[in-house]
């Protein structure tokens, strides 16, 4: 395609309202993110109804700011890309309705984007020459997947969590040891002062030997049981040791299965995506194991790991060039599966 394609992208699936302008799926002209973390921290987690209302309040301003920062007008845009699932239905609807209104009034194509595909696509922004096939570990607050990305927009899910997402487990354990929300970055930080071998938290086992699935509710319950036992014995809890030991259990599970997935698919490139991809222990361990197994490990920069619209703009571009234009009847799909339209 000779002409540059500029996409205005909108993301509102959880507690970040974000808009971005992205050229040809790789070059970010702007990526404005209005986070609601401060509001939800008071409640110890995301309150869906509050999230929707906050999206409504800021969406117009965020979109305008993204256009201004990119130095473009709505007329310069070739298409409007928007997350339509998975996510909180009320939150998704705010961004989706806004995007549909813009696409209709401008007479420009609407591209519906899967949020998980967006997370994976953050790697196309970070690594300008990255092309499928590769294996991607997607680890966020709501999702944990190992995906074989065979081609643009073509995914095979090799493994996924059977209960809690990795980020969800981080958040719940952080709350239990009194670190507050969002727990991931706090556990990451305090773990550096703890001993990862202090407490042995178990890893879930499945009947199928070769399963690449995950389960994190068991390790979360093991932490809660440990805390209860310590309280009953009136012994003091070393929070750094609990955090570091929990983190070791989660990270080793993520790393082992991701390396197995690369070997299974004979792929020597692994991308990582989602909020938990910011985790320092996950980064270090994956790079170390990657070196041992001749696998190149790729991480987007922090701002592209957590929810943002630039990643949606990248995924929207690859859908656009395939001709995947959405009808204006597109609805929010809270449990949208990867690869499903
Ligand atoms: O991708 P994301 O921004 O939103 C979802 O789509 O879920 O991910 C948010 C999740 C939260 O659970 C947060 O605790 C976790 O990512 N997280 C981390 C770190 N930074 C964010 N988990 C572990 N270590 C981190 N450094
Ligand atoms: Zn996300």
């Amino acid at each position: 395609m000779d002409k540059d394609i500029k996409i205005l992208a909108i993301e509102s699936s959880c507690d970040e309202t974000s808009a971005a302008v992205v050229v040809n799926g790789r070059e970010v002209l702007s990526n404005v993110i209005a986070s609601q973390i401060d509001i939800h921290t008071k409640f110890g987690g995301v309150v869906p109804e509050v999230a929707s209302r906050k999206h409504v309040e800021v969406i117009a301003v965020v979109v305008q700011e993204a256009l201004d920062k990119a130095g473009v007008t709505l007329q310069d845009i070739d298409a409007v890309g928007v997350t339509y699932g998975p996510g909180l239905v009320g939150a998704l609807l705010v961004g989706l309705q806004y995007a549909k209104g813009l696409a209709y009034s401008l007479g420009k194509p609407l591209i519906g984007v899967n949020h998980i595909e967006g997370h994976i696509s953050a790697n196309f922004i970070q690594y300008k020459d990255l092309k499928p096939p590769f294996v991607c570990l997607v680890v966020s607050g709501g999702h944990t997947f190992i995906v074989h990305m065979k081609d643009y927009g073509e995914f095979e899910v090799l493994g996924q969590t059977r209960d809690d997402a990795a980020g969800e487990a981080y958040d719940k354990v952080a709350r239990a040891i009194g670190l507050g929300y969002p727990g991931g970055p706090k556990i990451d930080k305090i773990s550096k002062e703890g001993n990862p071998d202090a407490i042995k938290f178990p890893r879930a086992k499945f009947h199928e030997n070769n399963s690449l699935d995950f389960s994190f509710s068991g390790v979360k319950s093991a932490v809660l049981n440990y805390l209860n036992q310590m309280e009953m014995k009136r012994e003091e809890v070393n929070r750094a040791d609990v955090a570091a030991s929990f983190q070791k259990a989660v990270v080793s599970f993520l790393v082992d299965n991701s390396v197995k997935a690369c070997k299974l698919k004979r792929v020597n490139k692994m991308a990582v995506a989602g909020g938990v991809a910011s985790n320092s222990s996950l980064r270090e361990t994956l790079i170390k194991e990657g070196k041992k197994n001749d696998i190149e490990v790729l991480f987007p920069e922090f701002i592209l790991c957590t929810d943002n619209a630039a990643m949606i703009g990248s995924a929207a571009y690859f859908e656009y060039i395939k001709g995947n234009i959405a009808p204006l009847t597109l609805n929010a799909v809270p449990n949208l599966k990867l690869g499903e339209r």
Side-chain angles (χ1 to χ4, degrees):
M1 203 171 288
D2 296 336
K3 181 186 170 300
D4 279 345
I5 301 298
K6 278 195 194 77
I7 295 195
L8 169 66
I10 297 177
E11 154 65 37
S12 70
S13 66
C14 191
D15 59 345
E16 263 95 31
T17 321
S18 181
V21 179
V22 180
V23 183
N24 297 340
R26 307 257 183 186
E27 192 195 339
V28 179
L29 298 187
S30 63
N31 188 20
V32 177
I33 305 166
S35 174
Q36 306 175 358
I37 276 190
D38 292 348
I39 298 157
H40 298 289
T41 298
K42 293 185 195 117
F43 301 100
V46 178
V47 183
E49 188 53 34
V50 174
S52 315
R53 285 166 197 240
K54 288 291 156 194
H55 286 310
V56 172
E57 278 174 24
V58 301
I59 187 126
V61 180
V62 168
V63 169
Q64 190 56 52
E65 199 181 323
L67 293 166
D68 292 346
K69 283 203 168 144
V72 299
T73 67
L74 283 172
Q75 277 64 38
D76 301 325
I77 294 298
D78 294 287
V80 182
V82 63
T83 308
Y84 73 106
L88 303 168
V89 69
L92 286 165
L93 280 170
V94 178
L96 181 58
Q97 297 304 348
Y98 201 85
K100 288 205 284 192
L102 282 178
Y104 177 68
S105 61
L106 296 166
K108 311 248 169 164
L110 176 76
I111 322 280
V113 175
N114 181 309
H115 182 78
I116 307 298
E117 183 178 347
H119 273 302
I120 298 172
S121 303
N123 286 282
F124 294 128
I125 297 173
Q126 190 71 43
Y127 300 95
K128 306 292 179 209
D129 300 323
L130 175 65
K131 290 188 183 79
F134 56 86
V135 161
C136 188
L137 171 67
V138 187
V139 265
S140 74
H143 311 278
T144 308
F145 286 108
I146 299 180
V147 178
H148 181 209
M149 187 163 192
K150 298 176 183 173
D151 203 343
Y152 296 104
E154 263 188 58
F155 313 94
E156 183 192 356
V157 176
L158 303 174
Q160 58 189 301
T161 182
R162 297 194 183 181
D163 40 56
D164 290 357
E168 190 180 352
Y170 265 94
D171 293 337
K172 286 177 178 167
V173 166
R175 193 183 314 171
I177 57 175
L179 294 177
Y181 176 86
K186 292 183 173 145
I187 291 202
D188 193 355
K189 193 163 167 227
I190 196 176
S191 290
K192 293 188 171 56
E193 294 148 30
N195 172 8
D197 298 312
I199 311 147
K200 181 115 186 71
F201 291 125
R203 178 187 297 189
K205 289 213 168 54
F206 303 119
H207 292 304
E208 318 87 291
N209 283 334
N210 49 1
S211 172
L212 295 177
D213 279 354
F214 300 102
S215 162
F216 295 111
S217 74
V219 63
K220 174 198 67 189
S221 303
V223 173
L224 298 179
N225 287 341
Y226 173 82
L227 294 174
N228 278 339
Q229 280 166 13
M230 293 296 278
E231 198 184 331
M232 284 191 320
K233 289 193 269 179
R234 294 183 195 280
E235 282 180 33
E236 206 179 315
V237 172
N238 182 328
R239 296 198 303 177
D241 282 354
V242 175
S245 302
F246 160 78
Q247 176 157 281
K248 184 175 178 183
V250 172
V251 165
S252 64
F253 204 170
L254 293 171
V255 172
D256 288 354
N257 281 9
S258 309
V259 170
K260 275 188 209 157
C262 287
K263 288 185 175 166
L264 179 73
K265 291 292 156 187
R266 297 175 196 281
V267 169
N268 62 359
K269 208 179 291 170
M270 184 201 307
V272 191
V276 185
S278 307
N279 185 269
S280 55
S281 169
L282 179 63
R283 287 185 175 234
E284 280 161 25
T285 317
L286 272 178
I287 289 170
K288 199 171 96 203
E289 291 304 311
K291 274 197 188 124
K292 268 194 217 159
N293 292 284
D294 209 12
I295 300 165
E296 186 189 359
V297 184
L298 311 173
F299 295 96
E301 62 180 302
F302 291 156
I303 196 73
L304 294 172
C305 287
T306 46
D307 290 351
N308 69 89
M311 67 186 198
I312 303 302
S314 174
Y317 169 78
F318 294 108
E319 295 296 343
Y320 176 88
I321 54 175
K322 285 173 121 187
N324 284 332
I325 309 300
L328 288 174
T329 51
L330 183 69
N331 205 351
V333 184
N335 56 357
L336 183 67
K337 303 277 177 294
L338 199 56
E340 200 176 78
R341 295 218 70 83

